[in-house]
Amino acid sequence: MLYTIVPMRFRPQRLGTVAAVAVLLVAASGRPQTQNQGGRPATKAGRRAALQPSGSIVQARQLFEKAAVLLRAGHYSEALPLLRQADRLAPDQASIHHYLGYTLWTLNDWGAAKAEFEKARQLDPHNAYTCYFLARIAQSLGDPKSAVVFYEDVLQLGPALYDTNKRLGEVYLDEGKLVQARERFEAALAETPWDGSLYYELGRIDQSEHHMAQARQEFAASSRLKNTDQASIRRLLQLAEAIHSHQTDQVHALRALVLNTASAHQDPEILDSEGVLLGKGGLYSEAIEPFERAIALAPNSFEPHFNLGLTLLKLGRTSEAEAQLNRALKLQPDSPEVNKLLAVIYVNQNNNREAIKRLRVAKRAAPDDPRILALLGEQYLAGQYVANAILCLQAAIKQDPGNLGPRYLLIDAYQREDNFQDALKAAQETAQRFPHDARAVYEVGQQLANIGNYQQARPYAEKAISMNPTLVEPYDLMGDILSKSGQYKTALTNFRKARNIAPTNELALNGIAESLISLKLLAEALSELQHAVTVRPDDSQLYFDLVQVYMRLGQREKAVQAESMFQKLHASEVATRNAHAPRSYPSQTASNGRL
Amino acid sequence: MGLKRREFLRRLAASATLVGATPRKNPAAAQAATEADITFRNVAAEAGITPLIVCGSKDKRSILEVNGSGCVWFDYNNDGYVDLYIVNGSTLEWMLSPSLPGEPPRNYLYRNNGDGTFTDVTLQAGVPGKGWGVGAVAADYNNDGFVDIFVYNYGPNILYRNNGNGTFTDVTAKAGVAGDNIIWSGGAAFGDYDNDGYLDLYVSGYINLDLRHPPHLHCSFEGVPVTACGPLGLPGAPDALYHNNGDGTFTEVTAKAGVTDSQLRYGFAVAFEDIDGDGRPDILVMNDSVPNYFYHNKGDGTFEEMGVLAGMAYNGDGHVQSNMGLAVGDIDNDGWMDLFVTTFADDNFTLFHNVGHGVFDDISYPSGIGTPTIPFQGWSTFFLDYNNDGWKDIFCVEGHIYIEALGGKMRAPYRQRPQIFENLHNRRFREVEAELGLGDLYIPGRGGACCDYDNDGDLDAAIICIDDRPVVLRNDGGNRAGNWLQVKTAGTKSNRDGIGALVKVVAGDLVQYDRVRTGCAFYSQCDMRLHFGLGSHQKVDSVEIHWPSGHVDRLLDLAANQAVAVREGQGRIASPYKPFRKKR
């Protein structure tokens, strides 16, 4: 399920430039603190440095600490020689290079700063702060491609730092990549609800996409925010902080304050923002009232309708959410967000047809939105529109190569059309990009097994097991590989491990029975199967195995009974499979291939 | 000059024996010592077997155009040289407009001249077939001593009675075996299911395909859209069992015998075989994309279907396969007949080991056959002991079904080489066709059957290629690799061909079993003469023939390297087989 890819799109308002400055100040003071400081260095080089004898390191650390004090006091020029000295003593210390980069950056020596940040990144590629500054420098030097790469890396490495989303949005916008730009600005709005300039940028995107009505709304919001009384904004900011720090009493008090300000009574934006802040803080029940009041004040405003729908959905009030979101849909029929959310509701209702319909609308509005593409791909797959699913998922991966979900779906789609070669390629690409993901490694093995390369598959199964011993599939794969080579005892061990992790796992239960049959341990096989059919009473394969056991035990009558169950269940499975044969969307042409 | 690897291995094996280092049998070493001399060579052109086989258009718009056709080895004129009958397809144009100018495609009967050449005698023999030919089986259905031929088609099937003078007569109408309700037959076999001495006939129906209203299906394979989709979704054709009345006529007894193909499965290869050792021939039907049938003969003229119970309706994983060809034989010389089945591409061919009394284990993977067969599309298949070591090897005819595989768009190519698996004597096999000179033989294979057509003591093979010329593979060296014995049966109380007779051959510690049978393979049939490799054994201790009638004939102390003929109740008679003459 890709339900989680649907974003929370709360859109509060700007709280003024003061807050933005404050954020930057916080950022500046936090900058020298690299994520790995005090922890284990992330790279081999880092590990080597950590193992060096202490003499020069101790001296370097002392210099580094002195420089940090100077930096915090804003004495950048004085800190610089200390850091250079520290660097000479401990050239493999990522944090020293990072500090050097930062110091040079503040002194506007971008070229030198870039070189230091690059060294720091080489030594510690997981430092999001280093990436951020490399992105900033690239942006300043007019290198949008590098800027995008670095900003995206920041997002990959953890929660967005500082104004990454906004800056990345700007770069995308300059590059004409409107979908990505919109996505980033909206993410930025969720972080800095007081920033009216984000509404302005969104308005520009709407304008470029000829969504004039929406653009007008965005510009109006931007303009209104500029004129909103600063008291309300400050109180909203305080409310945000209280929510963030879970100060419940303060939240209630501040809510009262916000609502008592004069503008709040008349300003749906303030009310909407309050609802958004509450929603973001997980206070969904509390968020309903401000949204409803916002809707009462501005019944044709899309945002409160949408946000109320989303809030209701979060509260599990699905039918109310659906109605509310349909109201929002009437106001903005092409809105990717509302279509996407409605699609999620339909997905959960197993209403595949409606989900696809909504997602196709969403895709029209945002053709490059990787989340919509992924969700639509998933729904196509669920509806057996395999070829459509493949195209969608390929596009989703192209747009968002860092998301594993669509990659697994794509592998599944290829498998469904027996295209194991492409499934293998997709698995290999995934494993190459995510070498530490056990499932990605397992998938390579599984696809190799699917094309009969069992021996090549084996190391992948073994590696996946060692990477994540709680993942069931690699054990099943390992069992299968061993069975195929006649090593039934070890196959049995693996299938049993799989069953220990997932007691109802179909492959494990079948594998155990079949291994025992091959080992001629018929009584044990019978006992296992008799238990297994209670766990999975609708599994035809288990009855097939039962037939084989009874026949080998000479119990023909029982075999016939088991066969009868097998035939019944198998017929039902075949009917289901035929009903879900791969097809094309929208024409419902039946596939009568050998697939 | 250094030794070639094979020569080195041969010497190594020889020296090991001398020093007594390995008293146990070492199949790999033995193989290395013998196989260097064995090659299969395509001699079709020099034999004069060069007809272009037709099967629809080049772009293959329909499933009818992709399955090709088959062949039968049988000695139609009893001259001691086994002849070859080749079935030819047709085109949609010929089928829809029979009055088109020119000669429509026809079948071919090639008379074996006994010198390595063949002569096309189709027209004088009167066996050109009609319409779109698919396959054929040959047997002496009227017990007159001359082998007849049943040709099955897309369209009415044909029974040609052998007149004994080099000609045949179409007796289909009188015999009542046209199969009017079977539009497209997929396989056939003769066998005497009620042991009355007359051969009955089972015909499997494939698809009731309406050429005038062909289905417009959309499917893909390995992600590539293809035009000639498989049978699923199309109306299946019924199977039929014809009881031989002994007077030249047959009665369809399908329903009475309990072999009604009620689910209209897509039938291909058929065999009569006593799978459970109860002395009664059962019926096996391989089905495409749906489960196989195993009709157990209850001995009262009726059958019960027990494919699932026997473990051969599906593969060992309980998954349905697209079964095409069938080989029946005893791979481990334990007296129980095992099955080998070819399947669709991207699926392994399946080796079912008969563990006794008609229960099968799928040993495809442990046997070493599963993995190497996965990419390929298998068609005809048969057991043949090509190296005369007394253990049945496996021959598979292959070629991709989808013309779209041309140009490397699919995992396996359109033209594929046959696969041969050498029996390593322990229910394990290894792929050897490249070592036998077939590494470069890439062909669009379909039908195929084996026969020692040159009577030199090793088994040869013919392959029918779709839209191409046949391949005749002469085994050169098999007769030097091991000794051999061939057994030809002639029934008296049992049917004249002795079909269904179980033959046990004992040579020292080597004990083998085989049965005289028709059908199997795919659209094709091997020579009914049984061939036993003897390895290094110079003589045969005993040959037992267990006739369908229940009578047993025994021959003792036979020299190796000869063909013996046995008449039921009379023992050994003169062999009809003659050595090849020098080429004229």
Side-chain angles (χ1 to χ4, degrees):
Chain A
M1 293 292 294
L2 289 180
Y3 173 74
T4 51
I5 71 160
V6 175
M8 288 278 287
R9 185 181 182 268
F10 290 104
R11 298 182 55 175
Q13 300 153 337
R14 182 173 66 171
L15 290 181
T17 51
V18 176
V21 170
V23 167
L24 279 177
L25 285 174
V26 171
S29 64
R31 238 172 254 145
Q33 302 293 323
T34 67
Q35 286 182 333
N36 280 320
Q37 197 171 23
R40 196 171 53 178
T43 63
K44 279 186 184 172
R47 277 195 285 278
R48 276 201 304 277
L51 292 170
Q52 281 175 6
S54 59
S56 55
I57 293 284
V58 171
Q59 209 182 337
R61 189 175 295 151
Q62 286 165 350
L63 287 162
F64 177 81
E65 280 164 6
K66 276 184 198 169
V69 172
L70 288 168
L71 284 173
R72 274 196 286 275
H75 304 306
Y76 301 109
S77 305
E78 288 137 72
L80 188 60
L82 297 180
L83 288 168
R84 288 209 192 283
Q85 216 179 329
D87 178 35
R88 279 193 292 276
L89 289 166
D92 283 348
Q93 287 295 318
S95 53
I96 295 175
H97 289 291
H98 179 92
Y99 267 67
L100 264 171
Y102 173 68
T103 308
L104 291 160
W105 180 71
T106 56
L107 295 170
N108 292 323
D109 188 352
W110 291 345
K114 185 181 167 197
E116 292 301 333
F117 280 126
E118 279 170 348
K119 282 183 204 165
R121 182 165 163 72
Q122 204 173 3
L123 292 163
D124 183 1
H126 301 296
N127 189 330
Y129 293 85
T130 306
C131 288
Y132 174 82
F133 285 106
L134 280 166
R136 288 287 303 270
I137 293 168
Q139 194 176 4
S140 304
L141 292 171
D143 179 5
K145 275 187 186 165
S146 301
V148 165
V149 170
F150 288 126
Y151 282 133
E152 288 285 6
D153 282 352
V154 172
L155 296 178
Q156 285 290 320
L157 288 165
L161 290 181
Y162 317 145
D163 52 354
T164 299
N165 276 312
K166 184 179 177 184
R167 286 188 173 276
L168 182 54
E170 286 167 357
V171 181
Y172 277 134
L173 191 55
D174 291 344
E175 290 286 286
K177 294 181 175 171
L178 303 184
V179 173
Q180 289 93 330
R182 178 190 293 281
E183 194 181 333
R184 290 301 109 218
F185 286 134
E186 285 177 352
L189 263 182
E191 293 160 1
T192 55
W194 44 82
D195 190 349
S197 69
L198 293 168
Y199 280 96
Y200 180 78
E201 300 290 19
L202 285 166
R204 280 176 64 200
I205 294 171
D206 287 333
Q207 214 170 19
S208 304
E209 290 177 338
H210 306 292
H211 299 145
M212 303 315 287
Q214 276 173 258
R216 272 194 295 276
Q217 279 186 18
E218 304 285 12
F219 289 138
S222 173
S223 174
R224 268 202 312 279
L225 279 166
K226 275 184 193 167
N227 301 323
T228 301
D229 71 287
Q230 293 300 304
S232 294
I233 289 171
R234 268 195 299 277
R235 277 170 192 153
L236 273 178
L237 176 57
Q238 288 170 327
L239 179 63
E241 283 168 357
I243 290 167
H244 184 69
S245 53
H246 305 291
Q247 295 165 325
T248 317
D249 292 345
Q250 272 197 41
V251 169
H252 291 299
L254 285 162
R255 278 193 67 202
L257 274 175
V258 171
L259 293 173
N260 286 336
T261 52
S263 59
H265 287 293
Q266 298 145 15
D267 193 339
E269 301 282 350
I270 294 284
L271 289 162
D272 187 49
S273 295
E274 188 201 352
V276 167
L277 287 173
L278 290 163
K280 276 191 70 184
L283 302 168
Y284 301 120
S285 298
E286 288 83 351
I288 286 178
E289 188 198 347
F291 287 137
E292 285 177 341
R293 288 176 63 178
I295 290 168
L297 286 169
N300 292 326
S301 175
F302 170 78
E303 277 75 18
H305 280 288
F306 173 82
N307 287 333
L308 179 56
L310 177 55
T311 306
L312 290 165
L313 194 59
K314 288 278 180 189
L315 286 167
R317 293 157 63 177
T318 310
S319 55
E320 291 168 78
E322 184 185 345
Q324 190 56 48
L325 289 167
N326 272 310
R327 277 178 217 124
L329 187 69
K330 277 187 186 156
L331 294 167
Q332 282 191 21
D334 294 334
S335 159
E337 288 78 14
V338 76
N339 276 293
K340 211 158 42 174
L341 264 196
L342 277 168
V344 169
I345 291 173
Y346 295 131
V347 167
N348 288 334
Q349 292 171 351
N350 291 323
N351 189 345
N352 175 252
R353 180 182 286 200
E354 281 302 313
I356 290 177
K357 208 189 276 181
R358 295 272 65 86
L359 286 165
R360 283 168 68 92
V361 176
K363 184 170 167 270
R364 269 204 304 276
D368 297 327
D369 183 330
R371 287 174 298 198
I372 292 173
L373 288 166
L375 196 55
L376 181 55
E378 187 200 31
Q379 285 307 297
Y380 276 142
L381 201 54
Q384 302 301 325
Y385 307 113
V386 178
N388 305 71
I390 287 172
L391 290 174
C392 249
L393 293 165
Q394 285 171 333
I397 292 166
K398 193 175 170 193
Q399 294 299 329
D400 185 6
N403 189 355
L404 266 166
R407 290 175 178 272
Y408 291 138
L409 289 170
L410 181 64
I411 294 167
D412 184 21
Y414 283 133
Q415 281 191 121
R416 289 199 202 184
E417 56 171 26
D418 285 359
N419 186 354
F420 299 121
Q421 292 293 328
D422 282 336
L424 175 60
K425 271 186 220 159
Q428 285 168 331
E429 281 166 20
T430 304
Q432 203 170 5
R433 194 173 177 93
F434 301 93
H436 304 296
D437 186 277
R439 189 177 162 193
V441 173
Y442 149 77
E443 283 290 357
V444 177
Q446 186 60 63
Q447 300 316 317
L448 282 165
N450 284 346
I451 58 170
N453 294 342
Y454 288 96
Q455 288 319 307
Q456 286 180 41
R458 185 171 178 157
Y460 291 94
E462 287 169 338
K463 190 175 172 193
I465 288 170
S466 71
M467 287 167 77
N468 183 358
T470 64
L471 199 61
V472 68
E473 288 85 357
Y475 290 107
D476 284 333
L477 174 60
M478 198 63 200
D480 192 26
I481 291 166
L482 292 162
S483 291
K484 293 288 190 280
S485 61
Q487 298 175 60
Y488 302 116
K489 266 191 186 172
T490 37
L492 181 63
T493 306
N494 278 275
F495 286 127
R496 282 191 163 140
K497 282 180 185 166
R499 189 186 56 180
N500 288 345
I501 297 166
T504 62
N505 183 262
E506 179 186 355
L507 293 172
L509 294 174
N510 287 315
I512 289 167
E514 284 160 18
S515 302
L516 289 167
I517 294 170
S518 299
L519 289 164
K520 316 282 184 213
L521 299 171
L522 298 177
E524 201 177 334
L526 181 59
S527 163
E528 290 281 4
L529 283 164
Q530 283 169 335
H531 172 71
V533 293
T534 63
V535 176
R536 294 185 63 88
D538 297 331
D539 188 337
S540 71
Q541 180 68 34
L542 293 171
Y543 286 96
F544 181 83
D545 293 336
L546 260 181
V547 173
Q548 308 313 315
V549 173
Y550 282 131
M551 284 301 283
R552 281 157 181 76
L553 288 170
Q555 298 179 27
R556 171 90 188 258
E557 273 184 26
K558 286 187 175 171
V560 170
Q561 283 171 13
E563 187 208 0
S564 165
M565 276 302 290
F566 164 75
Q567 298 282 20
K568 189 176 141 196
L569 295 171
H570 187 71
S572 156
E573 284 168 7
V574 169
T576 308
R577 254 204 314 276
N578 289 344
H580 293 96
R583 50 191 171 168
S584 298
Y585 190 93
S587 63
Q588 308 276 311
T589 312
S591 167
N592 288 303
R594 291 170 189 268
L595 305 178
Chain B
M1 203 170 123
L3 291 175
K4 284 185 180 171
R5 186 174 170 275
R6 283 240 179 81
E7 183 63 19
F8 172 75
L9 288 171
R10 185 208 304 262
R11 291 189 189 178
L12 188 68
S15 64
T17 309
L18 282 175
V19 296
T22 51
R24 284 179 304 168
K25 191 176 250 180
N26 183 339
Q31 165 271 323
T34 57
E35 260 176 26
D37 294 334
I38 305 175
T39 56
F40 280 99
R41 197 162 74 82
N42 182 7
V43 295
E46 62 199 72
I49 300 173
T50 57
L52 185 63
I53 300 303
V54 178
C55 191
S57 63
K58 294 285 179 198
D59 56 353
K60 306 295 176 199
R61 289 159 288 174
S62 155
I63 187 171
L64 182 59
E65 300 176 280
V66 295
N67 288 354
S69 54
C71 63
V72 178
W73 288 103
F74 75 113
D75 184 3
Y76 84 97
N77 55 0
N78 286 350
D79 65 352
Y81 299 113
V82 182
D83 312 296
L84 181 63
Y85 187 72
I86 296 176
V87 181
N88 202 356
S90 188
T91 65
L92 297 177
E93 289 73 22
W94 275 112
M95 295 300 285
L96 295 171
S97 311
S99 57
L100 281 174
E103 287 296 314
R106 64 168 171 85
N107 301 341
Y108 296 87
L109 175 60
Y110 283 100
R111 188 187 66 215
N112 186 337
N113 299 322
D115 60 359
T117 66
F118 288 75
T119 302
D120 178 1
V121 295
T122 317
L123 298 181
Q124 58 260 47
V127 287
K130 191 179 178 189
W132 194 308
V134 171
V137 282
D140 182 4
Y141 81 93
N142 56 357
N143 293 338
D144 66 354
F146 292 94
V147 179
D148 313 292
I149 187 156
F150 176 76
V151 183
Y152 49 98
N153 298 315
Y154 173 86
N157 300 324
I158 305 167
L159 179 61
Y160 287 117
R161 189 190 66 213
N162 190 331
N163 299 322
N165 60 359
T167 68
F168 290 78
T169 301
D170 180 346
V171 295
T172 314
K174 184 190 169 197
V177 291
D180 294 330
N181 58 341
I182 311 173
I183 293 181
W184 183 0
S185 300
F190 282 107
D192 184 5
Y193 76 88
D194 55 354
N195 280 346
D196 65 355
Y198 290 97
L199 291 173
D200 312 300
L201 175 65
Y202 190 97
V203 180
S204 65
Y206 188 50
I207 300 172
N208 273 350
L209 186 74
D210 183 353
L211 271 195
R212 295 187 186 278
H213 302 95
H216 294 288
L217 304 176
H218 302 274
C219 52
S220 67
F221 182 73
E222 293 180 357
V224 180
V226 295
T227 50
C229 300
L232 289 177
L234 299 175
D239 295 358
L241 175 62
Y242 300 98
H243 177 256
N244 189 333
N245 301 321
D247 59 359
T249 67
F250 290 79
T251 302
E252 194 192 328
V253 293
T254 316
K256 186 180 159 194
V259 293
T260 306
D261 178 15
S262 56
Q263 295 182 49
L264 298 177
R265 291 179 180 165
Y266 312 111
F268 274 141
V270 178
F272 281 90
E273 186 64 41
D274 178 10
I275 288 296
D276 58 346
D278 64 359
R280 297 186 287 262
D282 311 302
I283 299 172
L284 303 164
V285 186
M286 298 300 108
N287 291 314
D288 184 5
S289 310
V290 284
N292 303 317
Y293 288 125
F294 168 36
Y295 292 113
H296 174 243
N297 190 334
K298 292 161 74 176
D300 59 359
T302 66
F303 294 80
E304 57 184 340
E305 204 288 305
M306 46 181 294
V308 174
L309 294 175
M312 52 71 72
Y314 302 83
N315 69 8
D317 293 331
H319 296 156
V320 74
Q321 295 187 295
S322 297
N323 298 123
M324 308 286 181
L326 168 67
V328 182
D330 181 6
I331 59 155
D332 53 351
N333 291 340
D334 66 351
W336 295 102
M337 293 300 160
D338 310 299
L339 310 178
F340 180 74
V341 187
T342 54
T343 65
F344 203 68
D346 283 349
D347 192 3
N348 64 283
F349 302 170
T350 306
L351 180 58
F352 290 109
H353 175 240
N354 189 338
V355 296
H357 304 286
V359 177
F360 292 96
D361 274 349
D362 177 349
I363 60 165
S364 312
Y365 283 93
S367 72
I369 285 170
T371 300
T373 56
I374 286 178
F376 304 110
Q377 164 81 56
W379 299 93
S380 197
T381 185
F382 36 87
F383 290 115
L384 86 172
D385 180 4
Y386 73 89
N387 55 3
N388 281 342
D389 66 352
W391 297 81
K392 287 180 178 57
D393 311 300
I394 299 174
F395 193 107
C396 309
V397 176
E398 295 168 15
H400 214 300
I401 195 166
Y402 294 128
I403 194 75
E404 290 83 355
L406 280 170
K409 283 183 245 168
M410 290 178 183
R411 183 181 178 194
Y414 185 68
R415 299 170 76 90
Q416 297 173 6
R417 70 186 190 195
Q419 284 184 300
I420 302 179
F421 293 95
E422 183 199 7
N423 191 327
L424 300 179
H425 311 185
N426 50 1
R427 294 189 204 125
R428 292 191 63 82
F429 290 78
R430 72 178 192 100
E431 190 178 357
V432 293
E433 70 275 1
E435 297 169 27
L436 299 174
L438 300 180
D440 297 323
L441 185 71
Y442 286 89
I443 50 174
R446 294 295 188 268
C450 63
C451 170
D452 178 12
Y453 80 89
D454 52 359
N455 292 341
D456 69 347
D458 49 32
L459 285 169
D460 316 294
I463 298 173
I464 306 305
C465 301
I466 188 170
D467 305 322
D468 209 332
R469 298 179 197 284
V471 167
V472 177
L473 295 175
R474 192 181 66 204
N475 181 337
D476 290 339
N479 53 4
R480 291 191 299 275
N483 298 309
W484 54 276
L485 182 81
Q486 292 171 349
V487 179
K488 172 71 179 167
T489 52
T492 52
K493 190 176 176 193
S494 305
N495 66 82
R496 180 65 178 260
D497 288 324
I499 291 166
L502 179 71
V503 178
K504 179 183 177 185
V505 172
V506 180
D509 58 353
L510 182 63
V511 182
Q512 298 175 69
Y513 302 83
D514 207 349
R515 198 184 304 275
V516 183
R517 62 178 76 84
T518 67
C520 302
F522 176 81
Y523 289 173
S524 305
Q525 179 185 310
C526 291
D527 179 18
M528 282 185 280
R529 168 179 35 162
L530 299 182
H531 180 102
F532 298 90
L534 299 174
S536 58
H537 296 282
Q538 301 285 341
K539 75 176 189 68
V540 174
D541 301 318
S542 69
V543 175
E544 284 178 15
I545 297 101
H546 297 254
W547 297 92
S549 64
H551 181 78
V552 179
D553 280 308
R554 284 186 185 84
L555 309 180
L556 302 173
D557 290 326
L558 298 169
N561 303 327
Q562 62 170 327
V564 295
V566 184
R567 180 166 291 148
E568 183 179 10
Q570 296 174 21
R572 189 170 177 183
I573 57 172
S575 165
Y577 301 104
K578 293 180 270 183
F580 254 30
R581 298 183 294 267
K582 278 192 177 172
K583 190 174 175 180
R584 283 171 296 189

